[in-house]
Amino acid sequence: MCGVCGEIRFDGTEPDVAAVAAMTEAMHPRGPDGAGVFVQGTTALGHRRLSIIDLSTRGAQPMIDTELRLALVFNGCLYNYRQLRTQLQNSGYRFFSTSDSEVVLKAFHHWGSYCVDHFVGMFAFAVTDLDNGSLVLARDRLGIKPLYVAQTSSRLRFASTVPALLRAGDVDRILDPVALHHYLSFHSVVPAPHTIYRGIRKLPAATVRVVMPDGLSADRCYWEPDFSPDPERAGWSTEEWQEALLDSLRTAVYRRMVGDVPVGVLLSGGIDSSVVVALLAEQGQQDLATFSIGFDSAGGESGNEFAYSDLVARTFATDHHRIHIDSARLVPAVPKTVAAMSEPMVSHDCVAFYLLSEEVHKSVKVVQTGQGADEILAGYDWYPPLRHVPREDAADAYARVFVDRSHADVDALLRPEYRVGRDVSHEFLAAHHGAPGASSAVDSALRLDTTVMLVEDPVKRVDTMTMAWGLEARVPFLDHEFVEL
């Protein structure tokens, strides 16, 4: 887990090393264990390191392979890197480290941009060809790791965070009216490629972008899950589905224990994180560190779920940490939480995750979480009302249960210069719900929530707040094979 950034020039001049160094320093919290900048020709790469796999200097980045003529900055984790390493060694590749980052380099040389099809994990990376000066950017299937881009006619800059791009300067900070409309209407979700700034875009999830030295680029979406029922599983019983889902989740949880440092679990006491703990215990994990957060009670409501998390911790004999956050810490944490954001987010969970991460990072560097279960397994309260809605009415029905404001209400809030002139948010919903590959209103809602809302709200929230404290969060419910199932 790390922070990545860089610049490629299109006008033949040298990259702005000071700007890349500033972006790198701005991401210090994401990678407190080391930093580096590499410059060659028209390209510069920057990296902040959080050491998880191969803690030695051999795993440092930017990673340069002079034999293959490639340079890499990588953020994330390949859970199948050992299997890929063996496969690549059998194909004749020699390794100088035991890191998953080097596996990315070799895999890129072996398969080109199609290497992403072989990866199981969460990632955002950039590879530059030292001979022809091209740059390849890529992001994991479910957008767990972020990647932002600011491009002009003369150069492209990229970074893991928006504040890093702002620190480099020369960015158009005018508000994007389309993004603003989505933010105020679509429950604060701003779909890629938009961000709240007109001059900054985000690489969509499951996308590889090849950028040539002259500025021409091409995108490829390499993963588009089908949300219609699988005919081969049409006759499965409830028990068969339970067994298949648990087996897949068991694999996902096991994969996410990889690393050269201990891995803990954020245990909320809910079903999702409790199942993660149970599956790890089943696989023989000893002294698993679990962490629960609680707040002061207010308005007759309990501020914690310790009763449930304590029960799970006792049942599976975990090394459990109860973290109580005094109410006096909440308001002072709000400005720091906002400062950590790359994009505006409205959920109060942001402050909780920020304070939880602050405490957990004192004990471990990596945690698994139950994030994503509600989107993947239809846990939200807006799915049942869609069960009997005709497919052709899916967009309107979804809007009634999810959208915050009508187009007229959004317009009433904004000055003329920020009005779009049409209901771009409903147009976006209608296009998604109307696309093939989902045969019911619930299926199309799940597709939208899995591929857009999940990426642009809960997943972004967890990555932003955990990485604000150099804490890596892994999400087994977002294992792409589990999602496909």
Side-chain angles (χ1 to χ4, degrees), residues 355-392:
L355 291 169
L356 174 62
S357 301
E358 180 181 7
E359 297 301 320
V360 172
H361 98 285
K362 299 173 184 176
S363 301
V364 295
K365 282 186 173 183
V366 184
V367 289
Q368 295 202 41
T369 83
Q371 204 73 37
D374 283 319
E375 292 81 8
I376 305 306
L377 299 173
Y380 288 123
D381 59 7
W382 56 82
Y383 298 123
L386 298 176
R387 285 185 62 190
H388 304 296
V389 170
R391 179 73 176 82
E392 61 271 18

mmCIF file of all heavy atoms in Angstrom, residues 355-392:
data_model
loop_
_atom_site.group_PDB
_atom_site.id
_atom_site.type_symbol
_atom_site.label_atom_id
_atom_site.label_comp_id
_atom_site.label_asym_id
_atom_site.label_seq_id
_atom_site.Cartn_x
_atom_site.Cartn_y
_atom_site.Cartn_z
ATOM 1 N N LEU A 355 -10.934 8.207 13.034
ATOM 2 C CA LEU A 355 -10.506 8.021 14.426
ATOM 3 C C LEU A 355 -10.150 6.564 14.710
ATOM 4 O O LEU A 355 -9.205 6.275 15.449
ATOM 5 C CB LEU A 355 -11.607 8.493 15.369
ATOM 6 C CG LEU A 355 -11.837 10.011 15.385
ATOM 7 C CD1 LEU A 355 -13.113 10.360 16.146
ATOM 8 C CD2 LEU A 355 -10.638 10.735 15.991
ATOM 9 N N LEU A 356 -10.906 5.635 14.123
ATOM 10 C CA LEU A 356 -10.589 4.218 14.288
ATOM 11 C C LEU A 356 -9.215 3.905 13.694
ATOM 12 O O LEU A 356 -8.386 3.227 14.329
ATOM 13 C CB LEU A 356 -11.663 3.366 13.605
ATOM 14 C CG LEU A 356 -11.420 1.854 13.564
ATOM 15 C CD1 LEU A 356 -11.344 1.275 14.970
ATOM 16 C CD2 LEU A 356 -12.514 1.155 12.768
ATOM 17 N N SER A 357 -8.947 4.414 12.509
ATOM 18 C CA SER A 357 -7.661 4.155 11.847
ATOM 19 C C SER A 357 -6.507 4.742 12.648
ATOM 20 O O SER A 357 -5.424 4.145 12.720
ATOM 21 C CB SER A 357 -7.674 4.730 10.431
ATOM 22 O OG SER A 357 -8.712 4.163 9.659
ATOM 23 N N GLU A 358 -6.752 5.911 13.245
ATOM 24 C CA GLU A 358 -5.716 6.532 14.070
ATOM 25 C C GLU A 358 -5.288 5.604 15.204
ATOM 26 O O GLU A 358 -4.096 5.500 15.534
ATOM 27 C CB GLU A 358 -6.236 7.850 14.644
ATOM 28 C CG GLU A 358 -5.227 8.582 15.523
ATOM 29 C CD GLU A 358 -5.767 9.870 16.100
ATOM 30 O OE1 GLU A 358 -6.989 10.146 15.927
ATOM 31 O OE2 GLU A 358 -4.989 10.610 16.726
ATOM 32 N N GLU A 359 -6.252 4.915 15.802
ATOM 33 C CA GLU A 359 -5.938 4.010 16.910
ATOM 34 C C GLU A 359 -5.377 2.676 16.417
ATOM 35 O O GLU A 359 -4.416 2.150 16.982
ATOM 36 C CB GLU A 359 -7.197 3.765 17.751
ATOM 37 C CG GLU A 359 -7.749 5.025 18.409
ATOM 38 C CD GLU A 359 -6.750 5.680 19.334
ATOM 39 O OE1 GLU A 359 -6.031 4.945 20.059
ATOM 40 O OE2 GLU A 359 -6.669 6.926 19.348
ATOM 41 N N VAL A 360 -5.969 2.118 15.366
ATOM 42 C CA VAL A 360 -5.573 0.788 14.909
ATOM 43 C C VAL A 360 -4.152 0.787 14.353
ATOM 44 O O VAL A 360 -3.405 -0.179 14.537
ATOM 45 C CB VAL A 360 -6.574 0.268 13.849
ATOM 46 C CG1 VAL A 360 -6.082 -1.034 13.215
ATOM 47 C CG2 VAL A 360 -7.945 0.054 14.480
ATOM 48 N N HIS A 361 -3.741 1.878 13.697
ATOM 49 C CA HIS A 361 -2.419 1.879 13.073
ATOM 50 C C HIS A 361 -1.303 1.811 14.115
ATOM 51 O O HIS A 361 -0.150 1.526 13.770
ATOM 52 C CB HIS A 361 -2.249 3.121 12.176
ATOM 53 C CG HIS A 361 -1.523 4.273 12.800
ATOM 54 N ND1 HIS A 361 -2.089 5.095 13.750
ATOM 55 C CD2 HIS A 361 -0.265 4.736 12.612
ATOM 56 C CE1 HIS A 361 -1.225 6.016 14.115
ATOM 57 N NE2 HIS A 361 -0.108 5.824 13.445
ATOM 58 N N LYS A 362 -1.649 2.029 15.382
ATOM 59 C CA LYS A 362 -0.654 1.896 16.447
ATOM 60 C C LYS A 362 -0.317 0.427 16.713
ATOM 61 O O LYS A 362 0.719 0.124 17.319
ATOM 62 C CB LYS A 362 -1.165 2.544 17.732
ATOM 63 C CG LYS A 362 -1.446 4.039 17.607
ATOM 64 C CD LYS A 362 -2.119 4.579 18.865
ATOM 65 C CE LYS A 362 -2.488 6.056 18.717
ATOM 66 N NZ LYS A 362 -3.227 6.575 19.911
ATOM 67 N N SER A 363 -1.202 -0.483 16.253
ATOM 68 C CA SER A 363 -1.022 -1.909 16.534
ATOM 69 C C SER A 363 -0.666 -2.738 15.300
ATOM 70 O O SER A 363 0.145 -3.652 15.383
ATOM 71 C CB SER A 363 -2.309 -2.481 17.159
ATOM 72 O OG SER A 363 -2.642 -1.813 18.359
ATOM 73 N N VAL A 364 -1.304 -2.451 14.159
ATOM 74 C CA VAL A 364 -1.063 -3.231 12.944
ATOM 75 C C VAL A 364 -1.025 -2.299 11.735
ATOM 76 O O VAL A 364 -1.479 -1.155 11.801
ATOM 77 C CB VAL A 364 -2.158 -4.303 12.713
ATOM 78 C CG1 VAL A 364 -2.131 -5.356 13.809
ATOM 79 C CG2 VAL A 364 -3.538 -3.664 12.594
ATOM 80 N N LYS A 365 -0.488 -2.826 10.626
ATOM 81 C CA LYS A 365 -0.447 -2.067 9.373
ATOM 82 C C LYS A 365 -1.535 -2.485 8.402
ATOM 83 O O LYS A 365 -1.824 -1.752 7.455
ATOM 84 C CB LYS A 365 0.910 -2.257 8.690
ATOM 85 C CG LYS A 365 2.057 -1.463 9.250
ATOM 86 C CD LYS A 365 3.284 -1.657 8.361
ATOM 87 C CE LYS A 365 4.425 -0.736 8.782
ATOM 88 N NZ LYS A 365 5.587 -0.881 7.861
ATOM 89 N N VAL A 366 -2.114 -3.672 8.602
ATOM 90 C CA VAL A 366 -3.067 -4.226 7.645
ATOM 91 C C VAL A 366 -4.276 -4.764 8.389
ATOM 92 O O VAL A 366 -4.133 -5.440 9.421
ATOM 93 C CB VAL A 366 -2.434 -5.364 6.810
ATOM 94 C CG1 VAL A 366 -3.414 -5.866 5.750
ATOM 95 C CG2 VAL A 366 -1.142 -4.906 6.158
ATOM 96 N N VAL A 367 -5.462 -4.496 7.860
ATOM 97 C CA VAL A 367 -6.697 -5.048 8.425
ATOM 98 C C VAL A 367 -7.620 -5.508 7.303
ATOM 99 O O VAL A 367 -7.597 -4.974 6.195
ATOM 100 C CB VAL A 367 -7.464 -4.016 9.294
ATOM 101 C CG1 VAL A 367 -6.738 -3.753 10.601
ATOM 102 C CG2 VAL A 367 -7.714 -2.722 8.524
ATOM 103 N N GLN A 368 -8.418 -6.517 7.603
ATOM 104 C CA GLN A 368 -9.515 -6.883 6.725
ATOM 105 C C GLN A 368 -10.785 -6.236 7.277
ATOM 106 O O GLN A 368 -10.924 -6.034 8.486
ATOM 107 C CB GLN A 368 -9.690 -8.400 6.660
ATOM 108 C CG GLN A 368 -8.517 -9.131 6.034
ATOM 109 C CD GLN A 368 -8.899 -10.504 5.509
ATOM 110 O OE1 GLN A 368 -9.962 -10.679 4.928
ATOM 111 N NE2 GLN A 368 -8.011 -11.465 5.703
ATOM 112 N N THR A 369 -11.710 -5.906 6.368
ATOM 113 C CA THR A 369 -12.969 -5.292 6.777
ATOM 114 C C THR A 369 -14.126 -5.987 6.064
ATOM 115 O O THR A 369 -13.933 -6.696 5.073
ATOM 116 C CB THR A 369 -13.022 -3.787 6.433
ATOM 117 O OG1 THR A 369 -13.420 -3.628 5.066
ATOM 118 C CG2 THR A 369 -11.675 -3.114 6.656
ATOM 119 N N GLY A 370 -15.334 -5.747 6.553
ATOM 120 C CA GLY A 370 -16.527 -6.309 5.926
ATOM 121 C C GLY A 370 -17.153 -5.385 4.905
ATOM 122 O O GLY A 370 -18.282 -5.627 4.462
ATOM 123 N N GLN A 371 -16.424 -4.348 4.492
ATOM 124 C CA GLN A 371 -16.982 -3.371 3.561
ATOM 125 C C GLN A 371 -17.395 -4.034 2.252
ATOM 126 O O GLN A 371 -16.731 -4.931 1.755
ATOM 127 C CB GLN A 371 -15.941 -2.295 3.268
ATOM 128 C CG GLN A 371 -16.514 -0.980 2.809
ATOM 129 C CD GLN A 371 -17.196 -0.213 3.932
ATOM 130 O OE1 GLN A 371 -16.743 -0.226 5.056
ATOM 131 N NE2 GLN A 371 -18.288 0.449 3.626
ATOM 132 N N GLY A 372 -18.498 -3.576 1.699
ATOM 133 C CA GLY A 372 -18.944 -4.052 0.403
ATOM 134 C C GLY A 372 -20.010 -5.128 0.439
ATOM 135 O O GLY A 372 -20.651 -5.409 -0.577
ATOM 136 N N ALA A 373 -20.238 -5.737 1.602
ATOM 137 C CA ALA A 373 -21.204 -6.830 1.672
ATOM 138 C C ALA A 373 -22.619 -6.365 1.335
ATOM 139 O O ALA A 373 -23.372 -7.080 0.665
ATOM 140 C CB ALA A 373 -21.167 -7.459 3.067
ATOM 141 N N ASP A 374 -22.998 -5.177 1.784
ATOM 142 C CA ASP A 374 -24.361 -4.690 1.529
ATOM 143 C C ASP A 374 -24.620 -4.470 0.044
ATOM 144 O O ASP A 374 -25.736 -4.688 -0.439
ATOM 145 C CB ASP A 374 -24.614 -3.379 2.291
ATOM 146 C CG ASP A 374 -24.874 -3.627 3.766
ATOM 147 O OD1 ASP A 374 -25.579 -4.587 4.082
ATOM 148 O OD2 ASP A 374 -24.355 -2.858 4.594
ATOM 149 N N GLU A 375 -23.592 -4.021 -0.688
ATOM 150 C CA GLU A 375 -23.761 -3.792 -2.121
ATOM 151 C C GLU A 375 -23.751 -5.111 -2.898
ATOM 152 O O GLU A 375 -24.515 -5.295 -3.846
ATOM 153 C CB GLU A 375 -22.653 -2.878 -2.653
ATOM 154 C CG GLU A 375 -22.725 -1.445 -2.142
ATOM 155 C CD GLU A 375 -22.135 -1.271 -0.745
ATOM 156 O OE1 GLU A 375 -21.521 -2.236 -0.219
ATOM 157 O OE2 GLU A 375 -22.279 -0.181 -0.172
ATOM 158 N N ILE A 376 -22.884 -6.026 -2.513
ATOM 159 C CA ILE A 376 -22.748 -7.275 -3.256
ATOM 160 C C ILE A 376 -23.908 -8.228 -2.954
ATOM 161 O O ILE A 376 -24.382 -8.950 -3.821
ATOM 162 C CB ILE A 376 -21.404 -7.959 -2.899
ATOM 163 C CG1 ILE A 376 -20.226 -6.999 -3.126
ATOM 164 C CG2 ILE A 376 -21.218 -9.240 -3.710
ATOM 165 C CD1 ILE A 376 -20.169 -6.401 -4.503
ATOM 166 N N LEU A 377 -24.390 -8.219 -1.722
ATOM 167 C CA LEU A 377 -25.407 -9.189 -1.282
ATOM 168 C C LEU A 377 -26.761 -8.547 -0.992
ATOM 169 O O LEU A 377 -27.584 -9.127 -0.291
ATOM 170 C CB LEU A 377 -24.903 -9.937 -0.040
ATOM 171 C CG LEU A 377 -23.613 -10.740 -0.269
ATOM 172 C CD1 LEU A 377 -23.080 -11.303 1.047
ATOM 173 C CD2 LEU A 377 -23.858 -11.880 -1.260
ATOM 174 N N ALA A 378 -27.002 -7.364 -1.549
ATOM 175 C CA ALA A 378 -28.323 -6.718 -1.487
ATOM 176 C C ALA A 378 -28.802 -6.471 -0.060
ATOM 177 O O ALA A 378 -29.930 -6.791 0.302
ATOM 178 C CB ALA A 378 -29.361 -7.545 -2.262
ATOM 179 N N GLY A 379 -27.943 -5.855 0.744
ATOM 180 C CA GLY A 379 -28.293 -5.633 2.141
ATOM 181 C C GLY A 379 -29.006 -4.333 2.438
ATOM 182 O O GLY A 379 -29.443 -4.120 3.572
ATOM 183 N N TYR A 380 -29.130 -3.454 1.454
ATOM 184 C CA TYR A 380 -29.716 -2.148 1.731
ATOM 185 C C TYR A 380 -31.239 -2.172 1.635
ATOM 186 O O TYR A 380 -31.824 -3.023 0.954
ATOM 187 C CB TYR A 380 -29.165 -1.101 0.756
ATOM 188 C CG TYR A 380 -27.733 -0.720 1.020
ATOM 189 C CD1 TYR A 380 -26.760 -0.853 0.026
ATOM 190 C CD2 TYR A 380 -27.339 -0.221 2.253
ATOM 191 C CE1 TYR A 380 -25.439 -0.500 0.260
ATOM 192 C CE2 TYR A 380 -26.023 0.133 2.496
ATOM 193 C CZ TYR A 380 -25.072 -0.006 1.494
ATOM 194 O OH TYR A 380 -23.774 0.342 1.729
ATOM 195 N N ASP A 381 -31.859 -1.184 2.283
ATOM 196 C CA ASP A 381 -33.323 -1.188 2.369
ATOM 197 C C ASP A 381 -34.003 -0.742 1.085
ATOM 198 O O ASP A 381 -35.219 -0.820 0.971
ATOM 199 C CB ASP A 381 -33.795 -0.320 3.550
ATOM 200 C CG ASP A 381 -33.336 1.137 3.443
ATOM 201 O OD1 ASP A 381 -32.764 1.500 2.395
ATOM 202 O OD2 ASP A 381 -33.555 1.894 4.403
ATOM 203 N N TRP A 382 -33.237 -0.261 0.095
ATOM 204 C CA TRP A 382 -33.887 0.152 -1.150
ATOM 205 C C TRP A 382 -34.035 -0.996 -2.155
ATOM 206 O O TRP A 382 -34.667 -0.828 -3.193
ATOM 207 C CB TRP A 382 -33.170 1.330 -1.802
ATOM 208 C CG TRP A 382 -31.721 1.168 -2.118
ATOM 209 C CD1 TRP A 382 -31.166 0.558 -3.205
ATOM 210 C CD2 TRP A 382 -30.632 1.677 -1.345
ATOM 211 N NE1 TRP A 382 -29.795 0.638 -3.158
ATOM 212 C CE2 TRP A 382 -29.435 1.331 -2.031
ATOM 213 C CE3 TRP A 382 -30.537 2.398 -0.153
ATOM 214 C CZ2 TRP A 382 -28.168 1.678 -1.546
ATOM 215 C CZ3 TRP A 382 -29.281 2.744 0.316
ATOM 216 C CH2 TRP A 382 -28.122 2.377 -0.374
ATOM 217 N N TYR A 383 -33.463 -2.179 -1.842
ATOM 218 C CA TYR A 383 -33.638 -3.304 -2.771
ATOM 219 C C TYR A 383 -35.019 -3.956 -2.702
ATOM 220 O O TYR A 383 -35.626 -4.223 -3.754
ATOM 221 C CB TYR A 383 -32.543 -4.349 -2.566
ATOM 222 C CG TYR A 383 -31.148 -3.828 -2.840
ATOM 223 C CD1 TYR A 383 -30.154 -3.890 -1.871
ATOM 224 C CD2 TYR A 383 -30.826 -3.248 -4.064
ATOM 225 C CE1 TYR A 383 -28.877 -3.407 -2.119
ATOM 226 C CE2 TYR A 383 -29.558 -2.755 -4.310
ATOM 227 C CZ TYR A 383 -28.583 -2.835 -3.337
ATOM 228 O OH TYR A 383 -27.336 -2.342 -3.576
ATOM 229 N N PRO A 384 -35.568 -4.247 -1.498
ATOM 230 C CA PRO A 384 -36.899 -4.878 -1.465
ATOM 231 C C PRO A 384 -37.988 -4.123 -2.233
ATOM 232 O O PRO A 384 -38.779 -4.765 -2.943
ATOM 233 C CB PRO A 384 -37.199 -4.962 0.038
ATOM 234 C CG PRO A 384 -35.857 -5.090 0.667
ATOM 235 C CD PRO A 384 -34.958 -4.201 -0.141
ATOM 236 N N PRO A 385 -38.047 -2.772 -2.173
ATOM 237 C CA PRO A 385 -39.092 -2.090 -2.961
ATOM 238 C C PRO A 385 -38.956 -2.281 -4.473
ATOM 239 O O PRO A 385 -39.902 -2.027 -5.216
ATOM 240 C CB PRO A 385 -38.901 -0.614 -2.589
ATOM 241 C CG PRO A 385 -38.230 -0.631 -1.265
ATOM 242 C CD PRO A 385 -37.329 -1.822 -1.297
ATOM 243 N N LEU A 386 -37.774 -2.721 -4.933
ATOM 244 C CA LEU A 386 -37.559 -2.901 -6.368
ATOM 245 C C LEU A 386 -37.907 -4.309 -6.858
ATOM 246 O O LEU A 386 -37.892 -4.566 -8.063
ATOM 247 C CB LEU A 386 -36.088 -2.614 -6.713
ATOM 248 C CG LEU A 386 -35.569 -1.206 -6.436
ATOM 249 C CD1 LEU A 386 -34.073 -1.118 -6.730
ATOM 250 C CD2 LEU A 386 -36.314 -0.178 -7.272
ATOM 251 N N ARG A 387 -38.255 -5.198 -5.932
ATOM 252 C CA ARG A 387 -38.420 -6.609 -6.306
ATOM 253 C C ARG A 387 -39.499 -6.821 -7.359
ATOM 254 O O ARG A 387 -39.360 -7.691 -8.224
ATOM 255 C CB ARG A 387 -38.749 -7.445 -5.072
ATOM 256 C CG ARG A 387 -37.561 -7.693 -4.157
ATOM 257 C CD ARG A 387 -37.922 -8.623 -3.037
ATOM 258 N NE ARG A 387 -38.325 -9.948 -3.542
ATOM 259 C CZ ARG A 387 -38.874 -10.882 -2.774
ATOM 260 N NH1 ARG A 387 -39.123 -10.633 -1.503
ATOM 261 N NH2 ARG A 387 -39.188 -12.052 -3.286
ATOM 262 N N HIS A 388 -40.576 -6.064 -7.290
ATOM 263 C CA HIS A 388 -41.707 -6.287 -8.208
ATOM 264 C C HIS A 388 -41.873 -5.142 -9.208
ATOM 265 O O HIS A 388 -42.917 -5.018 -9.839
ATOM 266 C CB HIS A 388 -42.985 -6.481 -7.400
ATOM 267 C CG HIS A 388 -42.884 -7.587 -6.392
ATOM 268 N ND1 HIS A 388 -42.699 -8.904 -6.751
ATOM 269 C CD2 HIS A 388 -42.900 -7.559 -5.027
ATOM 270 C CE1 HIS A 388 -42.635 -9.651 -5.660
ATOM 271 N NE2 HIS A 388 -42.741 -8.865 -4.598
ATOM 272 N N VAL A 389 -40.821 -4.336 -9.361
ATOM 273 C CA VAL A 389 -40.871 -3.240 -10.320
ATOM 274 C C VAL A 389 -40.527 -3.776 -11.708
ATOM 275 O O VAL A 389 -39.543 -4.511 -11.872
ATOM 276 C CB VAL A 389 -39.865 -2.138 -9.924
ATOM 277 C CG1 VAL A 389 -39.717 -1.100 -11.031
ATOM 278 C CG2 VAL A 389 -40.302 -1.470 -8.623
ATOM 279 N N PRO A 390 -41.325 -3.440 -12.740
ATOM 280 C CA PRO A 390 -40.989 -3.869 -14.101
ATOM 281 C C PRO A 390 -39.612 -3.359 -14.511
ATOM 282 O O PRO A 390 -39.202 -2.257 -14.126
ATOM 283 C CB PRO A 390 -42.089 -3.244 -14.953
ATOM 284 C CG PRO A 390 -43.219 -3.010 -14.005
ATOM 285 C CD PRO A 390 -42.600 -2.697 -12.686
ATOM 286 N N ARG A 391 -38.924 -4.147 -15.295
ATOM 287 C CA ARG A 391 -37.562 -3.815 -15.710
ATOM 288 C C ARG A 391 -37.486 -2.427 -16.344
ATOM 289 O O ARG A 391 -36.549 -1.663 -16.085
ATOM 290 C CB ARG A 391 -37.078 -4.879 -16.706
ATOM 291 C CG ARG A 391 -35.662 -4.649 -17.240
ATOM 292 C CD ARG A 391 -34.617 -4.955 -16.170
ATOM 293 N NE ARG A 391 -33.272 -4.818 -16.711
ATOM 294 C CZ ARG A 391 -32.627 -3.664 -16.833
ATOM 295 N NH1 ARG A 391 -33.208 -2.536 -16.461
ATOM 296 N NH2 ARG A 391 -31.401 -3.628 -17.312
ATOM 297 N N GLU A 392 -38.481 -2.079 -17.161
ATOM 298 C CA GLU A 392 -38.441 -0.797 -17.871
ATOM 299 C C GLU A 392 -38.634 0.397 -16.937
ATOM 300 O O GLU A 392 -38.352 1.534 -17.299
ATOM 301 C CB GLU A 392 -39.498 -0.763 -18.980
ATOM 302 C CG GLU A 392 -40.932 -0.918 -18.505
ATOM 303 C CD GLU A 392 -41.385 -2.366 -18.423
ATOM 304 O OE1 GLU A 392 -40.501 -3.266 -18.409
ATOM 305 O OE2 GLU A 392 -42.606 -2.605 -18.382
#
